[in-house]
């Protein structure tokens, strides 16, 4: 019995070392098998025997899974332009198994760009950013497509998209309707006029009735709401969009301003008006001159301006400055009507946001901020103000877009070009077309 007890530890030691030797031999055999299969696969690739190559790759990955080998198979499909197989391989063997590896998205984006599939490239990029990954290769691939776009729709006339509603008015033939950023119809073309859509849209129907509609076509505010509180106003021929809790109504002779909730009259009697935003707007009297007005209805200046510039949503003040016309020149004034600086401009555009407005001086288009500081961002025949990071510029009769650094990010190729909205959309008129289309940046408009 004592001899057995003495021999037992020795037996365990021999068993332990034997298992190690077996594991080493097994591992060496696996390595040899793995390398043999990889070599076979690569030889099949050289001979363009794709099915057998993939089978050998898969057998090798059964022995030792590897993201590098998975990408090698994916690149094989790309080289063969077998995009359906490449997509399936990416979904199952890269994204499905290595979702937290930047190499996965390097391959995925490379695959989508090989097909000019910008939409899915941005979806993959969103996933990559959401996982807080970083890859120089991914960033380098995305940079050239950052301002790629799609064109959709066909409109004779249009209004800009609402930044919140992402709905825009478009005219087809004689009538107006509303569309979303993909060009899908939201409200039929049944209106004689239609304004920019905020929470509601101001429309006039074919019977001459003016009212506000929601995105389902339901009437929300009608002239009856106004006339109940102000019966002497008469028939409402048109409304302006609701801004700062106020709305303007026109009876064919003058405009009155009303509270958008109670419909109480606030002030009015003006022959023309702008929307009031940032507690400032513009009003015109029978003299034909304009004045600045506050949200409380008090005039901030005399009726002294020949014009007050507004953006396409009829807003004069997106920042702390307004551009007005006096005689043949344009000047920058603050919200009290005091001129900012001494500069006078030959031509100008209103501020579309809180960055830069386009102005022309000495025959050259420049950009100014609300303090009158000048930015020279290139030489163009014409320019529009910045809106959501981009400004339309014209060169040799064609329009494109520059960014805030003056880089031409969308080539000059359109007959006309409107401002960009927060949804990454703008209305443009393509070359040799007589209609407007929706330009949608893929980076802002893709399903995820």
């Amino acid at each position: 019995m004592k001899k057995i007890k003495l021999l037992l530890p020795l037996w365990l030691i021999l068993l332990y070392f034997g298992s190690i030797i077996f594991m080493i031999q097994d591992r060496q055999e696996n390595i040899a098998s793995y390398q043999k299969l990889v070599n076979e696969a690569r030889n099949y690739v050289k001979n363009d025997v794709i099915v057998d190559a993939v089978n050998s790759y898969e057998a090798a990955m059964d022995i030792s899974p590897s993201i590098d080998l998975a990408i090698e198979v994916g690149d094989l499909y790309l080289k063969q332009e077998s995009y359906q197989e490449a997509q399936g391989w990416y979904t199952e063997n890269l994204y499905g198994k290595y979702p937290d590896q930047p190499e996965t998205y390097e391959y995925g984006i490379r695959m989508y760009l090989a097909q000019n599939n910008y939409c899915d490239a941005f979806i993959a990029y969103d996933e990559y950013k959401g996982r807080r990954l970083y890859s120089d290769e991914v960033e380098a691939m995305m940079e050239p497509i950052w301002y790629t776009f799609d064109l959709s729709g066909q409109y004779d006339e249009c209004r800009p998209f609402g930044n919140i509603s992402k709905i825009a008015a478009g005219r087809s033939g004689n009538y107006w309707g509303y569309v979303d950023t993909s060009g899908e119809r939201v409200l039929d073309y049944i209106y004689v006029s239609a304004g920019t859509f905020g929470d509601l849209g101001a429309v006039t129907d074919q019977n001459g009735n003016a009212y506000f509609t929601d995105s389902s076509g339901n009437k929300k505010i009608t002239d009856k709401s106004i006339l109940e509180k102000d019966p002497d106003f008469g028939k409402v021929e048109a409304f302006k969009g609701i801004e700062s809790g106020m709305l303007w109504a026109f009876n064919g002779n003058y405009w009155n301003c009303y509270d958008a909730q109670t419909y109480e009259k606030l002030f009015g009697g003006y022959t023309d008006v702008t929307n009031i935003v940032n507690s400032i707007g513009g009003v015109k009297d029978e003299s034909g001159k304009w004045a600045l007005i506050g949200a409380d209805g008090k005039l901030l200046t005399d009726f002294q301006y020949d014009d007050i510039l507004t953006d396409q949503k009829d807003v004069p003040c997106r920042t702390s400055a307004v551009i007005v016309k006096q005689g043949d020149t344009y000047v920058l004034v603050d919200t009290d009507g005091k001129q900012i600086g001494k500069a006078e401009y030959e031509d100008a555009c209103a501020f579309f946001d809180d960055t830069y407005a386009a102005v022309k001086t000495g025959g050259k288009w420049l950009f100014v901020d609300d303090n009158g500081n000048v930015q020279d961002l290139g030489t163009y025949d014409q320019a529009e103000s910045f809106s959501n990071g981009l400004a339309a510029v014209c060169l040799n009769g064609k329009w494109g877009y520059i960014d805030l650094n003056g880089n031409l990010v969308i080539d000059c190729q359109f007959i006309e070009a409107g401002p960009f909205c927060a949804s990454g959309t703008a209305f443009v008129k393509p070359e040799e077309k007589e209609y407007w289309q929706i330009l949608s940046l893929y980076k802002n408009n893709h399903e995820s």
Side-chain angles (χ1 to χ4, degrees), residues 120-336:
D120 283 341
F122 277 106
I123 291 174
Y125 185 73
D126 286 348
E127 179 74 18
Y128 151 91
K129 295 295 285 186
R131 294 180 182 271
R132 298 184 179 181
L133 302 174
Y134 183 81
S135 162
D136 287 334
E137 183 177 341
V138 167
E139 300 301 327
M141 285 190 291
M142 296 303 295
E143 183 178 0
I145 71 164
W146 201 246
Y147 290 100
T148 52
F149 58 85
D150 182 40
L151 294 176
S152 62
Q154 182 173 327
Y155 312 98
D156 296 313
E157 196 175 351
C158 50
R159 306 267 187 263
F161 281 95
N163 285 337
I164 297 175
S165 66
K166 296 184 180 180
I167 296 173
R171 181 174 63 82
S172 179
N174 294 324
Y175 299 111
W176 289 82
Y178 287 95
V179 296
D180 63 19
T181 55
S182 68
E184 290 294 321
R185 191 179 305 179
V186 176
L187 294 176
D188 286 338
Y189 299 104
I190 58 175
Y191 305 108
V192 174
S193 68
T196 300
F197 203 104
D199 293 328
L200 302 172
V203 299
T204 304
D205 67 19
Q206 296 175 40
N207 295 318
N209 299 312
Y211 55 89
F212 285 89
T213 178
D214 65 14
S215 59
S216 297
N218 301 312
K219 293 181 180 180
K220 305 301 290 186
I221 302 175
T222 68
D223 61 349
K224 292 182 179 179
S225 304
I226 300 300
L227 297 180
E228 184 178 346
K229 296 296 180 71
D230 187 12
D232 294 332
F233 185 66
K235 181 178 175 59
V236 177
E237 293 191 1
F239 285 110
K240 279 190 183 292
I242 298 171
E243 296 282 357
S244 306
M246 298 179 289
L247 63 86
W248 289 101
F250 183 61
N251 65 4
N253 294 307
Y254 58 87
W255 293 85
N256 280 352
C257 186
Y258 299 88
D259 186 292
Q261 294 294 325
T262 66
Y263 314 123
E264 296 287 347
K265 178 185 173 182
L266 302 175
F267 45 86
Y270 302 109
T271 59
D272 203 355
V273 295
T274 74
N275 282 318
I276 298 176
V277 174
N278 289 336
S279 298
I280 190 170
V283 291
K284 183 179 180 181
D285 70 2
E286 294 179 351
S287 70
K289 296 287 187 178
W290 287 83
L292 295 178
I293 191 171
D296 58 2
K298 294 181 180 179
L299 294 178
L300 303 173
T301 68
D302 295 332
F303 288 92
Q304 57 185 312
Y305 306 122
D306 292 288
D307 199 6
I308 295 176
L309 301 191
T310 64
D311 64 14
Q312 287 195 337
K313 297 177 183 179
D314 211 11
V315 174
C317 187
R318 292 291 184 185
T319 177
S320 60
V322 181
I323 298 179
V324 298
K325 185 178 183 182
Q326 293 180 311
D328 294 327
T329 61
Y330 298 83
V331 296
L332 196 65
V333 300
D334 64 19
T335 53
D336 292 323

Side-chain angles (χ1 to χ4, degrees), residues 7-70:
L7 291 173
L8 185 57
L10 178 61
W11 177 81
L12 289 173
I13 292 170
L14 291 173
L15 182 62
Y16 173 73
F17 280 108
S19 65
I20 290 177
I21 292 170
F22 176 79
M23 289 173 61
I24 292 173
Q25 289 176 338
D26 186 59
R27 179 176 175 80
Q28 288 176 338
E29 289 175 2
N30 282 341
I31 292 173
S33 297
Y34 172 84
Q35 195 58 56
K36 180 183 177 182
L37 288 166
V38 171
N39 290 337
E40 283 180 355
R42 289 171 178 168
N43 284 329
Y44 283 133
V45 171
K46 289 179 183 178
N47 294 317
D48 206 24
V49 183
I50 306 306
V51 173
D52 290 343
V54 172
N55 289 336
S56 293
Y57 276 124
E58 289 180 325
M61 286 187 289
D62 286 341
I63 297 172
S64 179
S66 162
I67 188 173
D68 292 333
L69 212 57

